Amino acid sequence: MKKILTTALVGALVTGIAFADIGFDYTGTAIVSGPARGLGSSKGVSRNDCLSIDFSNDKAGVVFDVDIRAYDDIFTPKSPEFKLDQFYGWLTFALPVGNLQVTTGKWAGRWASRLKGDAGDLDDEFYEAYKLGTIVKDGIANDVDNLTGKDKMSTVLAYTLNDVLPGSLMVKAGMVGLGSDYNGDNKNADVKIKSGFVGELCYRQENLFKFNVAFKTLKQDQYGVGIFASPLMLDKLGATVGFSFGLDSEEDVRDYFEYGVDLRLRYQITDKWAVTTMHNISGYSVSIENDDDQDDMAMWNMLSTSYKAGDNIRFVATVQNTVRSFNAKLATDSVFAITPACEISAGDHATVTAGFDIRWNAKDTKVAPWSHAGNADISIPVYVSFSL
């Protein structure tokens, strides 16, 4: 039965591709990096490319996303490495009431508003150091709005109901393959779980608000939950507020709890100026059998401004600070970073972005981030992207 179902899905996808629109995206990244005392002396230049191609119509689609790593250090070049980063397909079935979409493969699926449109091609630590959820290291609810995690095979069903309620309602449920690491540290688990369960409830009412609750359990007795809301009635202000938590319990061994609070705002000051701010405070507590309880907190703050200087040129400047541990002296386990960048567009389909990132990582230097310019790490990221 499983083979029959798989064959039917593949056949439907192939048929859909024959009548699909084709999209192509490319992003090439080169990053010069090193310590302020000798830029490029230790890390050199990293180089990565990303190719994405998709075939889709209103009923079905497939996406292939390939990463090409040319080298980690220009002083030790190597043969290019190809990694199929994301690959997935989807089918949409019309029902008497609403529709059902089936998605399967490896992909990152998020629904809450992250308010990172001004980032352009700037990635990860250069603009959005943390996704929505907790920022506790290796936390259960890290990036909790991403149901699938991208790195694991998943199948998700999404039922959408439109034109019946005042807004749009979507309910998701799916399974995530866990591979060999399906019980984590629980070696005495009674049940061997090889797949995790994920679910999400999403509601959106135009010009009023959007809301979603994401849930996932990827290991036995381990649960992550994220609740996010965004008002839509404000003309120039975008906002997302959220609360996330994770639970992990192993009988007679330990009890673990973590939480995170998110606040993100973007305000369009004028047609040219916009400002974005992101904040997260997270914490955890763990009770260990026959040992002292442990707890700690972490905090991330980000402020960015974007200025459109012309039809084809835009400037963006970002300041970020992360306190990774409140138990340590705040100056000795924190990161402070400043990242100005310039984006130049050649029409609607090609963009070149160049940035300059300077950051002080106190955990590496063992001193306060701002104590000496020579303790900083400098990166010059350059992105070239185009789409068809």
Side-chain angles (χ1 to χ4, degrees), residues 39-266:
L39 182 60
S41 62
S42 63
K43 297 183 181 179
V45 180
S46 64
R47 168 68 189 279
N48 296 282
D49 298 289
C50 178
L51 301 174
S52 179
I53 186 169
D54 66 87
F55 307 86
S56 64
N57 56 31
D58 58 348
K59 301 296 183 182
V62 292
V63 173
F64 299 94
D65 189 306
V66 179
D67 286 347
I68 306 171
R69 185 180 295 274
Y71 42 74
D72 292 318
D73 189 324
I74 196 171
F75 300 115
T76 56
K78 57 185 178 181
S79 300
E81 296 178 355
F82 295 85
K83 176 186 176 183
L84 192 54
D85 186 40
Q86 298 188 69
F87 55 95
Y88 60 97
W90 72 90
L91 288 169
T92 302
F93 303 91
L95 302 177
V97 179
N99 64 72
L100 180 69
Q101 186 176 86
V102 183
T103 305
T104 188
K106 291 186 178 183
W107 79 100
R110 302 180 180 92
W111 197 81
S113 299
R114 292 159 60 196
L115 301 180
K116 64 181 296 289
D118 289 337
D121 288 327
L122 292 172
D123 200 11
D124 295 333
E125 73 269 22
F126 298 129
Y127 192 89
E128 184 193 28
Y130 299 94
K131 308 298 190 295
L132 292 168
T134 64
I135 64 172
V136 175
K137 184 179 180 181
D138 300 323
I140 298 167
N142 292 167
D143 194 11
V144 70
D145 188 49
N146 179 6
L147 292 185
T148 61
K150 188 182 76 169
D151 296 325
K152 302 180 185 298
M153 288 294 296
S154 309
T155 298
V156 175
L157 306 180
Y159 174 75
T160 302
L161 187 63
N162 292 317
D163 304 324
V164 176
L165 302 172
S168 175
L169 175 68
M170 181 167 59
V171 180
K172 292 183 180 180
M175 303 296 290
V176 178
L178 303 179
S180 59
D181 183 26
Y182 49 82
N183 278 310
D185 297 327
N186 192 347
K187 306 301 183 183
N188 301 317
D190 296 326
V191 180
K192 302 299 183 182
I193 300 175
K194 295 189 177 182
S195 295
F197 173 78
V198 297
E200 188 170 24
L201 175 67
C202 311
Y203 181 78
R204 178 187 179 98
Q205 188 168 352
E206 291 296 332
N207 301 319
L208 188 60
F209 72 98
K210 63 181 292 187
F211 170 84
N212 73 304
V213 179
F215 168 83
K216 52 187 177 183
T217 175
L218 302 183
K219 291 182 181 178
Q220 186 170 347
D221 300 321
Q222 186 181 97
Y223 309 94
V225 178
I227 305 169
F228 303 97
S230 296
L232 303 178
M233 74 288 289
L234 305 174
D235 185 27
K236 295 184 178 182
L237 179 67
T240 295
V241 295
F243 176 74
S244 308
F245 65 89
L247 301 171
D248 190 3
S249 177
E250 190 173 350
E251 188 175 357
D252 298 328
V253 178
R254 72 166 194 164
D255 288 304
Y256 174 86
F257 173 74
E258 70 180 32
Y259 67 89
V261 179
D262 279 288
L263 172 63
R264 299 189 177 196
L265 302 168
R266 181 187 183 275

Side-chain angles (χ1 to χ4, degrees), residues 34-42 358 360 365 367 371-378:
R37 292 189 179 95
L39 182 60
S41 62
S42 63
I358 180 168
W360 291 264
T365 61
V367 295
S371 63
H372 195 284
N375 293 324
D377 284 325
I378 291 177

Side-chain angles (χ1 to χ4, degrees), residues 266-278:
R266 181 187 183 275
Y267 185 68
Q268 188 72 45
I269 302 172
T270 68
D271 291 341
K272 296 181 179 292
W273 284 98
V275 61
T276 300
T277 181
M278 302 181 183

Side-chain angles (χ1 to χ4, degrees), residues 10-22 55-57 60-62 64:
V10 171
L13 280 172
V14 171
T15 302
I17 289 173
F19 302 96
D21 295 326
I22 300 176
F55 307 86
S56 64
N57 56 31
V62 292
F64 299 94

